[in-house]
Amino acid sequence: MEYDIFKETLKKKVSDLLKDASEISIKRYVKVNGITYDGLTVFSPDTNLSPTIPLTDFYEQYTAGKSMDEIAEEVAQFYRDYRVPGMVDVGCLSKYEEIKHRLRIRLLNRAMNVERLSDMPYRDYLDLAACLYLEVEGFGIPNATCPVRKRELETWGRSFDEVYADAEANMKKYEPGELSGIGEVIKGLRQELEEMAVKADRPKDFFLKDEIPEEAPPEMFVLTTKGKTFGAAAMLDLDPIRSLSELLSADLYVIPSSIHEVILLPDRPDVSADHLAEMVAAINHSEVPLGDILSNRIYRYVRETDRIVIAG
């Protein structure tokens, strides 16, 4: 069954299973870095919020041999598990003073997000875009966020600079940058994977991969935000970067590991920006999921000017 036919067939079967649904729609959505997906949304008369269910994985399951009836039941159960009961008052989202504490900043690659950024106000930063988002977890959907678009600024009657300044203050207060030696990060990752193996009744090293070393260079550091998701935005606050640079008495390379963190490395004579850029591009191509890529460029924090610039 071709994908378009699959979507329409699934839509009808889910509708048959969810008798209380007033409407079921399938729309195309654009995610980070140009990734697109079709999402199925179930609308019910007793609620004004509903989760959108991505269909990509379900179609892959179908082509792998799973029956359409099984998939329809799984989609319907997903809706039952995550539907938001009752009518939720989202009117406060139009009242700036009530929601400005929810503002956050994310960094995205400008060239890879042209369509996504077309109706989003943002600030140019190197080859990136510093975008505004709202944390809306308190409205019944766990870990939910939504982008701030141009229409939100119009509704709030606020300028982009004013809203951005409030988001910057929130990042310092709620999502401050956290700096860790990469050795600590690797140790924590190995411990987490070992605990997962024990819980699954597997050998302790079952989930450990060869590329996760036992030790790491002592002068490599990971910078992310407190919440870690979209933590590369921590590089917008120079305080931890400046402090590390002073401690090491060196300029710092800022390596965009992913949208979730950056790696800091002192600029030493034996380190080449071009070599680092080649390495990052190769890792992004082979190891990093498309939706997590931040950039193939390398940045440098320059102590003399107290700025981050593109280095390679």
Short mmCIF file of all heavy atoms in Angstrom, two decimals, residues 14 18 20-25 29 37 39-54 75-76 78-88 90 136 139-142 144-145:
data_model
loop_
_atom_site.label_atom_id
_atom_site.label_comp_id
_atom_site.label_asym_id
_atom_site.label_seq_id
_atom_site.Cartn_x
_atom_site.Cartn_y
_atom_site.Cartn_z
N VAL A 14 -8.96 4.62 12.47
CA VAL A 14 -8.88 5.28 13.78
C VAL A 14 -10.20 5.95 14.10
O VAL A 14 -10.67 5.91 15.24
CB VAL A 14 -7.72 6.30 13.80
CG1 VAL A 14 -7.75 7.13 15.09
CG2 VAL A 14 -6.37 5.60 13.67
N LEU A 18 -12.48 5.41 17.46
CA LEU A 18 -12.72 6.51 18.40
C LEU A 18 -14.07 7.16 18.07
O LEU A 18 -14.15 8.16 17.37
CB LEU A 18 -11.60 7.54 18.33
CG LEU A 18 -10.19 7.02 18.67
CD1 LEU A 18 -9.14 8.10 18.42
CD2 LEU A 18 -10.13 6.56 20.12
N ASP A 20 -15.99 8.89 19.80
CA ASP A 20 -16.27 10.21 20.37
C ASP A 20 -15.55 11.34 19.63
O ASP A 20 -15.70 12.51 19.97
CB ASP A 20 -15.89 10.24 21.85
CG ASP A 20 -14.41 9.93 22.07
OD1 ASP A 20 -13.81 9.29 21.17
OD2 ASP A 20 -13.87 10.30 23.13
N ALA A 21 -14.74 11.00 18.63
CA ALA A 21 -13.99 12.02 17.91
C ALA A 21 -14.90 12.82 17.00
O ALA A 21 -15.74 12.26 16.28
CB ALA A 21 -12.88 11.38 17.10
N SER A 22 -14.76 14.12 17.02
CA SER A 22 -15.56 14.97 16.14
C SER A 22 -14.87 15.14 14.79
O SER A 22 -15.53 15.38 13.77
CB SER A 22 -15.78 16.34 16.77
OG SER A 22 -14.54 16.99 17.04
N GLU A 23 -13.54 15.02 14.77
CA GLU A 23 -12.80 15.17 13.51
C GLU A 23 -11.42 14.56 13.69
O GLU A 23 -10.83 14.61 14.77
CB GLU A 23 -12.66 16.65 13.14
CG GLU A 23 -11.91 16.89 11.85
CD GLU A 23 -11.65 18.36 11.58
OE1 GLU A 23 -12.18 19.20 12.34
OE2 GLU A 23 -10.91 18.67 10.64
N ILE A 24 -10.89 13.98 12.62
CA ILE A 24 -9.52 13.48 12.60
C ILE A 24 -8.85 14.07 11.36
O ILE A 24 -9.38 13.96 10.25
CB ILE A 24 -9.46 11.94 12.55
CG1 ILE A 24 -10.04 11.35 13.84
CG2 ILE A 24 -8.02 11.47 12.37
CD1 ILE A 24 -10.08 9.84 13.87
N SER A 25 -7.74 14.72 11.56
CA SER A 25 -7.05 15.34 10.43
C SER A 25 -5.60 14.88 10.36
O SER A 25 -5.02 14.49 11.38
CB SER A 25 -7.09 16.87 10.53
OG SER A 25 -6.26 17.32 11.59
N TYR A 29 3.89 18.73 8.94
CA TYR A 29 4.55 19.62 9.88
C TYR A 29 6.04 19.68 9.56
O TYR A 29 6.61 18.73 9.04
CB TYR A 29 4.36 19.13 11.32
CG TYR A 29 2.91 19.15 11.78
CD1 TYR A 29 2.07 18.07 11.55
CD2 TYR A 29 2.39 20.27 12.43
CE1 TYR A 29 0.74 18.10 11.95
CE2 TYR A 29 1.07 20.29 12.84
CZ TYR A 29 0.25 19.21 12.60
OH TYR A 29 -1.06 19.24 13.01
N TYR A 37 7.14 15.82 8.57
CA TYR A 37 6.40 14.61 8.93
C TYR A 37 4.91 14.89 8.86
O TYR A 37 4.47 16.04 8.95
CB TYR A 37 6.78 14.12 10.32
CG TYR A 37 6.25 14.96 11.46
CD1 TYR A 37 5.08 14.62 12.13
CD2 TYR A 37 6.92 16.11 11.87
CE1 TYR A 37 4.59 15.39 13.16
CE2 TYR A 37 6.44 16.89 12.91
CZ TYR A 37 5.27 16.52 13.56
OH TYR A 37 4.79 17.30 14.58
N GLY A 39 1.38 14.39 10.68
CA GLY A 39 0.88 14.15 12.03
C GLY A 39 -0.63 13.99 12.03
O GLY A 39 -1.35 14.75 11.35
N LEU A 40 -1.12 13.02 12.75
CA LEU A 40 -2.56 12.78 12.88
C LEU A 40 -3.05 13.41 14.18
O LEU A 40 -2.48 13.16 15.24
CB LEU A 40 -2.84 11.28 12.85
CG LEU A 40 -4.30 10.83 12.94
CD1 LEU A 40 -4.51 9.55 12.13
CD2 LEU A 40 -4.73 10.59 14.39
N THR A 41 -4.08 14.21 14.09
CA THR A 41 -4.65 14.88 15.26
C THR A 41 -6.13 14.51 15.39
O THR A 41 -6.87 14.55 14.41
CB THR A 41 -4.51 16.41 15.16
OG1 THR A 41 -3.14 16.75 14.95
CG2 THR A 41 -4.98 17.07 16.45
N VAL A 42 -6.51 14.14 16.60
CA VAL A 42 -7.90 13.78 16.89
C VAL A 42 -8.55 14.92 17.65
O VAL A 42 -8.04 15.36 18.69
CB VAL A 42 -7.97 12.49 17.73
CG1 VAL A 42 -9.43 12.13 18.03
CG2 VAL A 42 -7.27 11.34 17.03
N PHE A 43 -9.65 15.42 17.13
CA PHE A 43 -10.39 16.50 17.79
C PHE A 43 -11.65 15.92 18.42
O PHE A 43 -12.38 15.17 17.78
CB PHE A 43 -10.76 17.59 16.79
CG PHE A 43 -9.57 18.26 16.15
CD1 PHE A 43 -9.09 17.79 14.93
CD2 PHE A 43 -8.94 19.32 16.76
CE1 PHE A 43 -7.99 18.39 14.34
CE2 PHE A 43 -7.84 19.92 16.18
CZ PHE A 43 -7.35 19.46 14.96
N SER A 44 -11.88 16.28 19.68
CA SER A 44 -13.07 15.82 20.39
C SER A 44 -13.83 17.02 20.94
O SER A 44 -13.21 18.03 21.29
CB SER A 44 -12.69 14.89 21.55
OG SER A 44 -12.05 13.73 21.06
N PRO A 45 -15.12 16.93 21.04
CA PRO A 45 -15.92 18.08 21.49
C PRO A 45 -15.70 18.44 22.96
O PRO A 45 -16.04 19.54 23.38
CB PRO A 45 -17.36 17.63 21.25
CG PRO A 45 -17.31 16.15 21.22
CD PRO A 45 -15.97 15.80 20.65
N ASP A 46 -15.11 17.52 23.75
CA ASP A 46 -14.97 17.78 25.18
C ASP A 46 -13.59 18.30 25.57
O ASP A 46 -13.26 18.42 26.74
CB ASP A 46 -15.28 16.51 25.98
CG ASP A 46 -14.33 15.37 25.64
OD1 ASP A 46 -13.67 15.44 24.58
OD2 ASP A 46 -14.25 14.41 26.43
N THR A 47 -12.73 18.61 24.59
CA THR A 47 -11.41 19.15 24.90
C THR A 47 -10.95 20.07 23.77
O THR A 47 -11.35 19.89 22.62
CB THR A 47 -10.37 18.03 25.10
OG1 THR A 47 -9.10 18.61 25.42
CG2 THR A 47 -10.22 17.18 23.85
N ASN A 48 -10.13 21.06 24.11
CA ASN A 48 -9.62 21.98 23.10
C ASN A 48 -8.13 21.79 22.84
O ASN A 48 -7.52 22.58 22.12
CB ASN A 48 -9.90 23.43 23.50
CG ASN A 48 -9.29 23.79 24.85
OD1 ASN A 48 -8.93 22.91 25.63
ND2 ASN A 48 -9.18 25.08 25.14
N LEU A 49 -7.54 20.76 23.44
CA LEU A 49 -6.14 20.44 23.19
C LEU A 49 -6.02 18.96 22.87
O LEU A 49 -6.69 18.13 23.48
CB LEU A 49 -5.27 20.75 24.42
CG LEU A 49 -5.03 22.22 24.77
CD1 LEU A 49 -4.16 22.32 26.02
CD2 LEU A 49 -4.37 22.97 23.62
N SER A 50 -5.16 18.65 21.92
CA SER A 50 -4.97 17.25 21.56
C SER A 50 -3.57 17.04 21.04
O SER A 50 -3.03 17.91 20.33
CB SER A 50 -5.98 16.84 20.49
OG SER A 50 -5.86 15.47 20.18
N PRO A 51 -2.92 15.92 21.38
CA PRO A 51 -1.57 15.67 20.87
C PRO A 51 -1.59 15.33 19.39
O PRO A 51 -2.58 14.79 18.87
CB PRO A 51 -1.12 14.44 21.69
CG PRO A 51 -2.39 13.75 22.05
CD PRO A 51 -3.40 14.84 22.26
N THR A 52 -0.51 15.68 18.69
CA THR A 52 -0.34 15.30 17.29
C THR A 52 0.53 14.05 17.23
O THR A 52 1.61 14.01 17.82
CB THR A 52 0.30 16.44 16.48
OG1 THR A 52 -0.59 17.56 16.47
CG2 THR A 52 0.59 16.02 15.06
N ILE A 53 0.06 13.03 16.53
CA ILE A 53 0.73 11.73 16.51
C ILE A 53 1.49 11.58 15.18
O ILE A 53 0.88 11.49 14.12
CB ILE A 53 -0.30 10.60 16.66
CG1 ILE A 53 -1.15 10.83 17.92
CG2 ILE A 53 0.39 9.23 16.70
CD1 ILE A 53 -2.37 9.94 18.01
N PRO A 54 2.84 11.55 15.20
CA PRO A 54 3.62 11.38 13.96
C PRO A 54 3.35 10.01 13.34
O PRO A 54 3.25 9.01 14.05
CB PRO A 54 5.07 11.51 14.43
CG PRO A 54 5.00 12.19 15.77
CD PRO A 54 3.71 11.75 16.37
N VAL A 75 -2.45 3.61 17.39
CA VAL A 75 -2.63 5.06 17.27
C VAL A 75 -3.78 5.52 18.17
O VAL A 75 -3.68 6.54 18.88
CB VAL A 75 -2.91 5.45 15.80
CG1 VAL A 75 -3.33 6.92 15.70
CG2 VAL A 75 -1.69 5.20 14.95
N ALA A 76 -4.87 4.77 18.16
CA ALA A 76 -6.01 5.12 19.01
C ALA A 76 -5.64 5.08 20.49
O ALA A 76 -6.05 5.95 21.26
CB ALA A 76 -7.18 4.17 18.72
N PHE A 78 -2.64 5.52 21.72
CA PHE A 78 -1.76 6.67 21.95
C PHE A 78 -2.61 7.90 22.28
O PHE A 78 -2.33 8.65 23.22
CB PHE A 78 -0.90 6.93 20.72
CG PHE A 78 0.14 8.01 20.91
CD1 PHE A 78 1.46 7.69 21.15
CD2 PHE A 78 -0.21 9.36 20.84
CE1 PHE A 78 2.42 8.69 21.33
CE2 PHE A 78 0.74 10.36 21.01
CZ PHE A 78 2.05 10.01 21.26
N TYR A 79 -3.67 8.10 21.50
CA TYR A 79 -4.56 9.23 21.75
C TYR A 79 -5.21 9.11 23.13
O TYR A 79 -5.27 10.08 23.89
CB TYR A 79 -5.63 9.32 20.67
CG TYR A 79 -6.75 10.26 21.04
CD1 TYR A 79 -6.55 11.64 21.01
CD2 TYR A 79 -7.99 9.78 21.43
CE1 TYR A 79 -7.57 12.51 21.37
CE2 TYR A 79 -9.01 10.65 21.80
CZ TYR A 79 -8.80 12.01 21.76
OH TYR A 79 -9.79 12.87 22.14
N ARG A 80 -5.71 7.91 23.47
CA ARG A 80 -6.36 7.73 24.77
C ARG A 80 -5.39 8.02 25.93
O ARG A 80 -5.78 8.59 26.95
CB ARG A 80 -6.88 6.30 24.89
CG ARG A 80 -7.96 5.93 23.88
CD ARG A 80 -8.49 4.53 24.14
NE ARG A 80 -9.32 4.03 23.04
CZ ARG A 80 -8.94 3.09 22.19
NH1 ARG A 80 -7.74 2.52 22.33
NH2 ARG A 80 -9.73 2.70 21.22
N ASP A 81 -4.14 7.62 25.75
CA ASP A 81 -3.15 7.79 26.82
C ASP A 81 -2.74 9.24 27.01
O ASP A 81 -2.44 9.67 28.13
CB ASP A 81 -1.90 6.95 26.52
CG ASP A 81 -2.15 5.46 26.63
OD1 ASP A 81 -3.15 5.08 27.26
OD2 ASP A 81 -1.35 4.68 26.06
N TYR A 82 -2.70 10.00 25.92
CA TYR A 82 -2.13 11.35 26.00
C TYR A 82 -3.14 12.48 25.73
O TYR A 82 -2.76 13.65 25.71
CB TYR A 82 -0.96 11.49 25.01
CG TYR A 82 0.22 10.63 25.40
CD1 TYR A 82 0.44 9.40 24.80
CD2 TYR A 82 1.10 11.04 26.40
CE1 TYR A 82 1.51 8.60 25.17
CE2 TYR A 82 2.17 10.26 26.78
CZ TYR A 82 2.37 9.04 26.16
OH TYR A 82 3.44 8.26 26.53
N ARG A 83 -4.40 12.14 25.56
CA ARG A 83 -5.39 13.19 25.35
C ARG A 83 -5.49 14.07 26.60
O ARG A 83 -5.27 13.61 27.72
CB ARG A 83 -6.76 12.59 25.03
CG ARG A 83 -7.42 11.89 26.18
CD ARG A 83 -8.70 11.18 25.73
NE ARG A 83 -9.68 12.09 25.20
CZ ARG A 83 -10.60 12.69 25.93
NH1 ARG A 83 -10.65 12.49 27.24
NH2 ARG A 83 -11.48 13.50 25.38
N VAL A 84 -5.79 15.32 26.41
CA VAL A 84 -5.93 16.27 27.51
C VAL A 84 -7.40 16.34 27.89
O VAL A 84 -8.23 16.81 27.10
CB VAL A 84 -5.41 17.66 27.11
CG1 VAL A 84 -5.56 18.63 28.28
CG2 VAL A 84 -3.97 17.58 26.66
N PRO A 85 -7.79 15.84 29.07
CA PRO A 85 -9.21 15.83 29.44
C PRO A 85 -9.72 17.23 29.77
O PRO A 85 -9.04 18.03 30.40
CB PRO A 85 -9.24 14.92 30.68
CG PRO A 85 -7.86 15.07 31.28
CD PRO A 85 -6.93 15.25 30.11
N GLY A 86 -10.94 17.50 29.35
CA GLY A 86 -11.57 18.77 29.70
C GLY A 86 -11.08 19.93 28.86
O GLY A 86 -10.16 19.83 28.06
N MET A 87 -11.71 21.06 29.06
CA MET A 87 -11.36 22.28 28.35
C MET A 87 -10.28 23.02 29.14
O MET A 87 -10.45 23.31 30.32
CB MET A 87 -12.59 23.17 28.17
CG MET A 87 -13.77 22.48 27.48
SD MET A 87 -13.37 21.87 25.81
CE MET A 87 -13.30 23.43 24.93
N VAL A 88 -9.19 23.32 28.50
CA VAL A 88 -8.06 23.99 29.14
C VAL A 88 -8.09 25.47 28.78
O VAL A 88 -8.22 25.83 27.60
CB VAL A 88 -6.72 23.37 28.70
CG1 VAL A 88 -5.55 24.09 29.36
CG2 VAL A 88 -6.70 21.88 29.03
N VAL A 90 -6.48 28.44 27.77
CA VAL A 90 -5.21 28.89 27.19
C VAL A 90 -5.24 30.38 26.89
O VAL A 90 -4.36 30.91 26.21
CB VAL A 90 -4.88 28.10 25.91
CG1 VAL A 90 -4.65 26.63 26.22
CG2 VAL A 90 -6.00 28.26 24.87
N VAL A 136 5.25 25.32 27.64
CA VAL A 136 3.81 25.25 27.93
C VAL A 136 3.44 23.92 28.58
O VAL A 136 2.33 23.42 28.42
CB VAL A 136 2.97 25.47 26.64
CG1 VAL A 136 3.12 26.90 26.16
CG2 VAL A 136 3.37 24.50 25.54
N PHE A 139 0.04 23.05 30.54
CA PHE A 139 -1.27 23.02 29.89
C PHE A 139 -1.71 21.60 29.54
O PHE A 139 -2.48 21.38 28.62
CB PHE A 139 -1.25 23.89 28.64
CG PHE A 139 -1.16 25.35 28.95
CD1 PHE A 139 0.08 25.97 29.03
CD2 PHE A 139 -2.29 26.10 29.22
CE1 PHE A 139 0.17 27.31 29.35
CE2 PHE A 139 -2.20 27.44 29.54
CZ PHE A 139 -0.97 28.05 29.61
N GLY A 140 -1.19 20.61 30.25
CA GLY A 140 -1.69 19.25 30.11
C GLY A 140 -0.88 18.34 29.22
O GLY A 140 -1.12 17.15 29.17
N ILE A 141 0.08 18.87 28.47
CA ILE A 141 0.91 18.04 27.60
C ILE A 141 2.34 18.09 28.13
O ILE A 141 2.97 19.14 28.13
CB ILE A 141 0.87 18.54 26.15
CG1 ILE A 141 -0.58 18.56 25.64
CG2 ILE A 141 1.72 17.64 25.26
CD1 ILE A 141 -0.74 19.12 24.25
N PRO A 142 2.90 16.96 28.61
CA PRO A 142 4.23 16.95 29.21
C PRO A 142 5.31 17.41 28.24
O PRO A 142 5.27 17.09 27.05
CB PRO A 142 4.42 15.47 29.58
CG PRO A 142 3.05 14.90 29.67
CD PRO A 142 2.24 15.65 28.65
N ALA A 144 5.89 20.05 26.72
CA ALA A 144 5.43 20.73 25.51
C ALA A 144 6.06 22.13 25.40
O ALA A 144 6.23 22.83 26.39
CB ALA A 144 3.91 20.86 25.52
N THR A 145 6.41 22.48 24.17
CA THR A 145 6.90 23.83 23.87
C THR A 145 6.23 24.28 22.59
O THR A 145 5.73 23.46 21.81
CB THR A 145 8.43 23.87 23.68
OG1 THR A 145 8.78 23.07 22.54
CG2 THR A 145 9.15 23.37 24.92
#
